[in-house]
Amino acid sequence: MQDINIKITDRDGVTHDIVAPTDMAMNLMEVVRSYELAPEGTIGVCGGMAMCASCQCYVTSETKLPEMGDDEEAMLSEAFDVKDNSRLGCQIQMTPEMEGLEVELAPES
C-alpha cells in the first residue's frame, strides 16, 4: 500500500493536507467526499461520470496529470468559473504519480 500526500483547498479557502490511498482506485472527487471537504450533495452529483462539473477544481501544482478526455473537455466547456487549470476531480485517479498534487475546489455553481 502506498499513500500519497496532496493538498486540497476547500471552497472556504482552507487548505487541508490529505493522505490519499493509491490502492483503492479512488479519484480526487471521492477523496474530497471521504474527507468531507465539501457539503454533502455539492460535489460528485453525477457520481463521477464527468456529466455535472460539480467536482471541478483548479490544479495549482506542477503535477503532471493524464491528458483530458473528450467527456471531461466537453463538460468543462459548459461549466461555470472555468480556468486554464480547471479539471474534473472525478477524472483524476489517485496514483503514486499524483504525490504532491495541489488543488483548489471551484466555487459551487
Side-chain angles (χ1 to χ4, degrees), residues 10-11 14 36 45 52 63 69 72 76 78 88 99-101:
D10 65 24
R11 292 178 176 141
V14 178
E36 298 179 346
V45 175
C52 73
T63 308
E72 181 179 9
L76 285 172
E78 300 174 15
L88 296 181
E99 174 68 37
L101 177 68

Side-chain angles (χ1 to χ4, degrees), residues 44-100:
V45 175
C46 74
M49 303 299 292
M51 295 174 64
C52 73
S54 65
C55 64
Q56 180 189 176
C57 61
Y58 308 124
V59 178
T60 57
S61 61
E62 295 297 319
T63 308
K64 176 87 171 103
L65 298 178
E67 287 294 314
M68 195 180 301
D70 292 342
D71 291 344
E72 181 179 9
E73 200 168 332
M75 190 65 252
L76 285 172
S77 73
E78 300 174 15
F80 296 102
D81 302 308
V82 175
K83 299 181 181 180
D84 289 342
N85 61 341
S86 288
R87 292 295 299 260
L88 296 181
C90 67
Q91 301 300 301
I92 301 174
Q93 291 298 314
M94 294 295 95
T95 63
E97 293 76 28
M98 295 299 107
E99 174 68 37

Side-chain angles (χ1 to χ4, degrees), residues 1-53:
M1 180 170 127
Q2 181 179 358
D3 292 342
I4 56 171
N5 298 290
I6 61 175
K7 290 182 187 292
I8 301 171
T9 302
D10 65 24
R11 292 178 176 141
D12 294 324
V14 178
T15 300
H16 304 267
D17 291 311
I18 301 295
V19 176
T22 61
D23 63 342
M24 295 176 63
M26 290 180 83
N27 60 45
L28 182 61
M29 175 209 68
E30 293 165 331
V31 171
V32 170
R33 289 170 88 174
S34 68
Y35 278 90
E36 298 179 346
L37 301 181
E40 181 94 21
T42 65
I43 192 161
V45 175
C46 74
M49 303 299 292
M51 295 174 64
C52 73

